[in-house]
Amino acid sequence: MIMAVSSHAKAKPNARHSAKDLTRRAARRLLLAGFAVVLFIVSGVGIAYHDLQSQVNTLDINGLLDDDRARQVTDSYEGRPVNILILGTDSRAGANNVDGSEGSEEVAVARSDTTMILHLPADRSRIEIVSIPRDLLVDIPSCRTADGGTTEAMSYTPFNTAFANGAGASDDDAAVAAGVACTLATIEDLTGLYIDEYLVVDFNGLTTTVDALGGVNLYVDEDINDTEFTGLVMSSGCQHLDGATALQYARVRHGVGDGSDRQRMPRQQNLVAAMLRTAKSKNYFTDADALYSFARAALGSLTSSPGIGSLTTLAGLAMSISDVGMDQTILITMPNEEAPWDLNRALPTDEAADVWAALKADTPISEALRGDTQEGADSSSDADSADATQEDQPTQSDAGSDQPDAAADSRTPTADATTEDPAAQCY
């Protein structure tokens, strides 16, 4: 009996020890399972990141720029103003052959069909985009070409010649890099600005990006009937555009207005505004699946500088302006006027220098567009501009379209004109 009790007494510690072992093993398994889940998530994020990063085509153009040009190298643009050059090229190579003209003499050399400077101020309180007319007469510096040669400096030459000078007759990455470098150098000479980054969008890139957004809504201020060139036929009013139609709208010059490139720029700005509005409405920063799908489709169709081509930099910049409303998004054409000796060419006006000075000083260009600071002016004019109703906007746009000289708005810009977004009523 004593022996039995003794045996039973010894068994209890073993039971307690076994229970502890079971608890420890369960804890280890739970820990391993949790670690596996975390590892799976981290691996998935890592794979997604590398997948997206691999979609971006980046080109370093530093070697094509003057050696004495001080390149600013930074890991973050936080707390700094940023100037980004956006170039739309008219290459017809590959998927860009939208009109069947690839190989023809007319498009043998790729040109910068659209040029915009995107300025983000240091405090990220607004977005400012300034278009440069492709037919603006400028001085183009000597540029290095893709084949290692150099071009002669040129005076009073159409702006879009700069890209062609660098790129030559090729459409490969080396040619694009040289075209961008020559355009960037020309812009810096023209404006006095430092261009931090660049982004190149070709025809296919625009189409793909708009389709990735699910199309865009915009307001068309006059009927378009261009059956011969782009094939675009569109009535005025609110329209929903898919990628292919958006490209037609951005390119159209015939069958609307006076056929000039300067009249085409407001339509391109209208499209950009619609794209920005659509992107903001998608809540990409709260919908990871939607963001991933959009990013994968859009990034694969763009070419950029290495800085903005980094997803961390790109995401950081995007997040920093995510709260900027369309009322603080300014899209204008640099002030210009017809060249007296050639009505198809343009020259900068004095107001253009004011715009560049404002960007360089990181002050709102809307203030520069008011002229001599309007000392003593009624301060209620700003409020009137900001409070413009959606119903009033189409009337303002239609009134502008009736002017015989489409460049008039660019010669005498106003603060009101910079904040209009007729597409607001189409959402």
Side-chain angles (χ1 to χ4, degrees):
M1 184 71 179
I2 295 174
M3 292 295 294
V5 170
S6 175
S7 175
H8 181 68
K10 290 181 180 179
K12 288 183 179 179
N14 289 337
R16 288 196 300 269
H17 181 70
S18 298
K20 290 180 180 178
D21 285 346
L22 287 172
T23 301
R24 288 172 182 156
R25 283 197 295 270
R28 281 198 299 269
R29 288 171 181 168
L30 184 61
L31 183 62
L32 288 173
F35 179 75
V37 170
V38 171
L39 183 63
F40 176 78
I41 293 174
V42 171
S43 297
V45 171
I47 291 171
Y49 174 85
H50 288 293
D51 177 46
L52 290 177
Q53 187 65 72
S54 68
Q55 302 299 312
V56 185
N57 181 32
T58 60
L59 299 176
D60 190 343
I61 65 174
N62 287 351
L64 294 164
L65 297 167
D66 289 341
D67 295 334
D68 60 354
R69 182 179 186 272
R71 295 299 300 177
Q72 299 177 15
V73 180
T74 181
D75 294 330
S76 171
Y77 285 111
E78 185 177 358
R80 292 183 50 212
V82 185
N83 294 313
I84 302 172
L85 170 63
I86 302 175
L87 288 175
T89 66
D90 62 359
S91 167
R92 301 306 203 276
N96 296 304
N97 190 26
V98 296
D99 54 8
S101 61
E102 181 180 12
S104 68
E105 291 185 4
E106 183 181 357
V107 294
V109 178
R111 294 159 296 189
S112 52
D113 204 43
T114 301
T115 303
M116 298 180 177
I117 297 176
L118 166 63
H119 177 80
L120 304 178
D123 63 5
R124 302 298 191 265
S125 62
R126 60 191 182 276
I127 299 172
E128 297 172 320
I129 301 176
V130 183
S131 297
I132 300 178
R134 71 173 195 174
D135 295 323
L136 185 76
L137 296 178
V138 298
D139 294 336
I140 299 176
S142 174
C143 297
R144 299 176 187 176
T145 60
D147 59 7
T150 58
T151 63
E152 295 290 334
M154 308 170 76
S155 297
Y156 288 102
T157 304
F159 172 78
N160 68 341
T161 303
F163 190 94
N165 280 1
S170 179
D171 288 296
D172 58 18
D173 283 351
V176 171
V180 172
C182 193
T183 302
L184 186 149
T186 301
I187 288 176
E188 291 189 337
D189 284 355
L190 172 69
T191 65
L193 297 172
Y194 182 91
I195 303 299
D196 299 280
E197 305 285 353
Y198 76 82
L199 185 68
V200 179
V201 185
D202 55 23
F203 289 165
N204 182 58
L206 177 61
T207 300
T208 301
T209 301
V210 172
D211 281 338
L213 287 169
V216 296
N217 295 339
L218 56 74
Y219 182 85
V220 180
D221 61 4
E222 58 182 317
D223 293 345
I224 301 172
N225 186 17
D226 180 26
T227 57
E228 183 177 356
F229 294 93
T230 63
L232 180 63
V233 177
M234 184 176 292
S235 299
S236 61
C238 289
Q239 300 287 349
H240 181 81
L241 277 59
D242 61 10
T245 309
L247 175 61
Q248 290 176 307
Y249 180 76
R251 293 180 58 221
V252 68
R253 293 176 61 183
H254 305 278
V256 58
D258 63 6
S260 69
D261 181 66
R262 281 183 291 167
Q263 195 177 64
R264 177 170 60 173
M265 283 184 292
R267 288 191 289 274
Q268 294 174 343
Q269 293 163 3
N270 188 24
L271 176 59
V272 170
M275 293 171 69
L276 287 172
R277 182 179 290 278
T278 302
K280 287 179 176 295
S281 71
K282 296 290 185 177
N283 296 321
Y284 283 132
F285 293 109
T286 60
D287 188 339
D289 290 338
L291 174 61
Y292 180 81
S293 297
F294 169 73
R296 198 178 194 288
L299 292 176
S301 62
L302 306 175
T303 298
S304 74
S305 51
I308 201 173
S310 166
L311 291 185
T312 53
T313 300
L314 187 60
L317 286 174
M319 285 293 290
S320 72
I321 58 173
S322 60
D323 293 330
V324 178
M326 293 304 296
D327 58 332
Q328 292 300 320
T329 300
I330 312 299
L331 297 99
I332 66 165
T333 299
M334 68 164 285
N336 66 92
E337 62 186 2
E338 293 175 345
W341 58 89
D342 188 343
L343 300 183
N344 293 317
R345 302 292 183 234
L347 292 171
T349 62
D350 292 340
E351 289 84 359
D354 295 335
V355 169
W356 305 136
L359 293 182
K360 192 171 183 178
D362 201 26
T363 58
I365 58 176
S366 57
E367 295 179 2
L369 293 174
R370 293 191 187 104
D372 299 329
T373 67
Q374 293 185 344
E375 292 184 4
D378 185 356
S379 60
S380 65
S381 60
D382 287 347
D384 292 341
S385 173
D387 294 337
T389 62
Q390 294 177 0
E391 290 78 13
D392 289 337
Q393 289 171 335
T395 303
Q396 293 165 348
S397 298
D398 288 342
S401 66
D402 290 337
Q403 296 177 4
D405 183 1
D409 286 343
S410 63
R411 289 198 298 269
T412 56
T414 65
D416 291 348
T418 64
T419 54
E420 286 183 17
D421 182 13
Q425 64 177 318
C426 302
Y427 283 78

